[in-house]
Amino acid sequence: MSVPGIVAAVVVGLVIGALGRLVAGGRTQVPLWLTLAVGLVAALLGTIVSRLVGIDSDGFTLRQLIVQVGLAGVAVALVVGTAGGRTEP
């Protein structure tokens, strides 16, 4: 894994975690730190998966970004969606 790939995964994970929190709307049972952590871990996993399937070249690529965003988005959606429902403000 290259340094730009790791940095991109961290940024993508935190952004997707925050956006997932905003998209959920209302108050959820999931704390903010958990959505950020899930997005971060999923984006790092996206970097690893892209490297294993041969997408990752030396450095950062658009295809790698797509894999990171996809995995992070799905992971955050699953966590927020299955966290025991929402409570209205």
Side-chain angles (χ1 to χ4, degrees):
M1 241 188 269
S2 65
V3 173
I6 293 171
V7 170
V10 168
V11 171
V12 166
L14 293 177
V15 168
I16 295 298
L19 288 175
R21 183 64 176 216
L22 290 174
V23 169
R27 294 178 54 133
T28 64
Q29 301 292 339
V30 181
L32 177 62
W33 67 266
L34 184 58
T35 58
L36 294 175
V38 167
L40 176 65
V41 169
L44 287 171
L45 183 63
T47 302
I48 293 168
V49 167
S50 67
R51 184 175 185 133
L52 289 175
V53 298
I55 292 174
D56 188 14
S57 62
D58 292 332
F60 177 72
T61 64
L62 180 61
R63 292 184 291 175
Q64 181 181 2
L65 176 66
I66 292 169
V67 172
Q68 290 173 346
V69 169
L71 284 178
V74 168
V76 169
L78 285 174
V79 168
V80 171
T82 61
R86 286 187 268 179
T87 59
E88 295 301 319

